[in-house]
Amino acid sequence: MPLYGVLAYIATVAVVFTFRLLSEDYVEATNDGVIACVCLSAAWYFRRVTRRFSKMDATRRCWKFLSLGALFHGTGHLVYSIAEFTIGDFVSAPSPPDILIYCGELCYIFGLSSFLSHLNRSAFLPPSNRKIIANGLIVVLAVLSVYFVMIPAWTDETTSIWARLINSIFPIIDLILAGIFAHLFLAFYTMGNSPLARPWIILIASYVVFFAADNTYLYLDATGQYHPYAFPNPGWGLAYMLTAYAAREQLQLMRSFDEGE
Amino acid sequence: MPRLVDGVEEFLSPVIGQGPARRLILAYCAKYNKQFQDINQSDLGKLGVFLSENLRIFVRAKRAEFISEKLKGQRPESSG
C-alpha cells in the first residue's frame, strides 16, 4: 500500500463519516470489504518480503507469520463483508469469522515475538532499561483494559456467557500484542533515525490505532453505545492501511539493499 | 590524520543509521577488548562478520555478507 493510498483512505473516510453518506446498514459491510482488500494486499507484500529471505535466514519465519496473519484477517473480514451485504445489516462480534481473525492474531504474536527475540540480541541497540519501561506500560494498559473493557464485558447481562468469554479473549490477545509492540517500539526508538527502523515504526503506529479501535469497540459494545459510524470502523481501516504500508516499506528497504549490488 | 573508524562509521551510517553504526562499533570494541580509535585495517574482517551477524535479521544473509565485504574495502582516506 503506497502512502497516497493511506491518505486517500483518510480523506474518503473523513468525507463519508462526517456527512454520513452511506446507509448505516452498509457502513460495516463496505468498510469490511475495504479492510479485506487491504489485508490481502498486506499479506501479498509480506509474502514478497518473505520470499526475499532465503530458507536459512532466521527471520524469514517472522515475515511468513505476518503474511499468514494478514491473510487470516483479510479472509475473516471478507466473510464478514459478504455476510453483511447478504443480510443487509451489520453482524455483531463475536461471530464465526472471528475465528479467522483470532488465528491471524496468533500468527502476529508468533511472528512478532520471534522477531523481537532476534532484535533483543542485536548490537545495534544500546543497553538500556527499555524492558522495564515496556513492562510498566503493559501493566498500565492491563489495568485500563480490565476496568474499561473486561469488567463491562463480563457484567453485560444482555449477552450469553460464551459471548462474554469471547469478548474477554480479544482484549487479552490485544494486551499480549500491545506488550510485544511496546518492546518493539522502545527498541526501535533507541535505535534512532535508522532506515532499518522505518517500516517497523509504521507497523507499530498501525497497532496503536488498531488497539485503540478494538478496545473502543469492546467498550462501546458492552455499554450499548456502538453504532456503525463510531470511531472503531475508520480506526480499523486506517490500522490495516498502515500495516500494508509498513509491509510495502519493508519490501522497498530490501529492494534498496539489493540494488546496492 | 584521518581515522579508519570514522570512515567505517561514515560508510555504515546511510545503511543502518548513525546511532546503530556507532553502537555496532562500540559493541565490537567491547567484544574484542579494543579502543574505539584503535580500529585498524586488520579489524575490518571481523567487524564485517559482526555487522553481517547483526544485519541479517533485517535483510537476507547474502545481502548482509555483501555489505560486510564492502566494509572490508574501507580505507582511512574514505573518512574525508
Side-chain angles (χ1 to χ4, degrees):
Chain A
M1 178 62 57
L3 180 61
Y4 61 79
V6 181
L7 297 175
Y9 177 79
I10 293 171
T12 309
V13 158
V15 173
V16 171
F17 276 66
T18 304
F19 299 104
R20 301 198 171 201
L21 298 179
L22 280 171
S23 149
E24 276 207 3
D25 298 338
Y26 291 103
V27 173
E28 291 218 352
T30 309
N31 202 48
D32 278 323
V34 172
I35 287 173
C37 295
V38 172
C39 283
L40 294 175
S41 81
W44 182 65
Y45 280 124
F46 280 134
R47 173 88 184 129
R48 287 173 69 189
V49 169
T50 308
R51 289 172 70 94
R52 283 194 169 247
F53 283 97
S54 77
K55 286 183 180 168
M56 302 297 287
D57 291 325
T59 50
R60 186 179 196 264
R61 199 175 60 153
C62 313
W63 297 104
K64 202 172 186 175
F65 273 115
L66 291 184
S67 173
L68 267 175
L71 185 65
F72 274 123
H73 272 208
T75 314
H77 283 284
L78 187 65
V79 176
Y80 254 122
S81 180
I82 292 168
E84 285 162 343
F85 270 118
T86 308
I87 62 170
D89 197 0
F90 74 87
V91 177
S92 187
S95 62
D98 283 319
I99 295 167
L100 291 166
I101 293 172
Y102 275 128
C103 292
E105 305 268 289
L106 292 177
C107 287
Y108 281 136
I109 289 171
F110 283 126
L112 293 168
S113 58
S114 168
F115 186 84
L116 182 63
S117 70
H118 288 292
L119 185 66
N120 279 334
R121 293 195 290 268
S122 170
F124 295 156
L125 301 178
S128 72
N129 53 0
R130 63 177 187 275
K131 287 181 187 173
I132 299 167
I133 299 169
N135 290 336
L137 188 66
I138 296 160
V139 171
V140 173
L141 286 175
V143 170
L144 291 173
S145 180
V146 167
Y147 187 76
F148 287 108
V149 178
M150 292 189 206
I151 291 175
W154 268 107
T155 51
D156 180 13
E157 290 179 358
T158 59
T159 53
S160 69
I161 187 81
W162 291 109
R164 282 190 240 172
L165 189 66
I166 291 167
N167 279 342
S168 300
I169 294 173
F170 258 129
I172 291 168
I173 291 177
D174 274 353
L175 274 175
I176 295 169
L177 273 172
I180 298 168
F181 272 108
H183 282 276
L184 282 171
F185 170 72
L186 289 169
F188 283 111
Y189 179 75
T190 53
M191 264 179 83
N193 188 17
S194 165
L196 303 175
R198 187 180 153 78
W200 285 95
I201 294 292
I202 299 166
L203 193 63
I204 292 160
S206 84
Y207 188 72
V208 171
V209 180
F210 184 83
F211 184 83
D214 236 17
N215 284 281
T216 307
Y217 169 77
L218 291 168
Y219 175 74
L220 295 177
D221 194 43
T223 54
Q225 300 175 64
Y226 180 75
H227 62 91
Y229 273 113
F231 161 72
N233 270 320
W236 281 316
L238 179 61
Y240 287 117
M241 285 274 169
L242 288 171
T243 304
Y245 177 43
R248 186 177 183 269
E249 285 294 300
Q250 176 64 25
L251 186 64
Q252 300 280 60
L253 174 79
M254 296 190 77
R255 274 186 184 156
S256 73
F257 269 84
D258 286 355
E259 279 161 11
E261 193 168 10
Chain B
M1 187 178 164
R3 298 185 304 179
L4 178 66
V5 72
D6 296 326
V8 169
E9 203 176 334
E10 205 169 285
F11 168 77
L12 290 176
S13 290
V15 183
I16 61 174
Q18 200 174 5
R22 176 157 282 243
R23 278 189 290 275
L24 180 90
I25 299 167
L26 288 172
Y28 171 82
C29 291
K31 188 176 177 183
Y32 292 102
N33 202 19
K34 296 209 67 146
Q35 291 294 312
F36 186 75
Q37 64 276 12
D38 293 342
I39 297 277
N40 58 45
Q41 207 74 37
S42 65
D43 288 304
L44 293 185
K46 279 191 283 183
L47 183 58
V49 173
F50 192 57
L51 166 69
S52 173
E53 285 167 2
N54 284 283
L55 194 56
R56 65 178 56 178
I57 70 164
F58 294 98
V59 294
R60 63 186 160 135
K62 274 191 175 176
R63 182 62 29 212
E65 279 160 21
F66 175 75
I67 292 163
S68 76
E69 284 300 317
K70 276 177 81 176
L71 172 73
K72 288 176 196 168
Q74 288 298 298
R75 296 281 180 272
E77 299 81 54
S78 58
S79 66

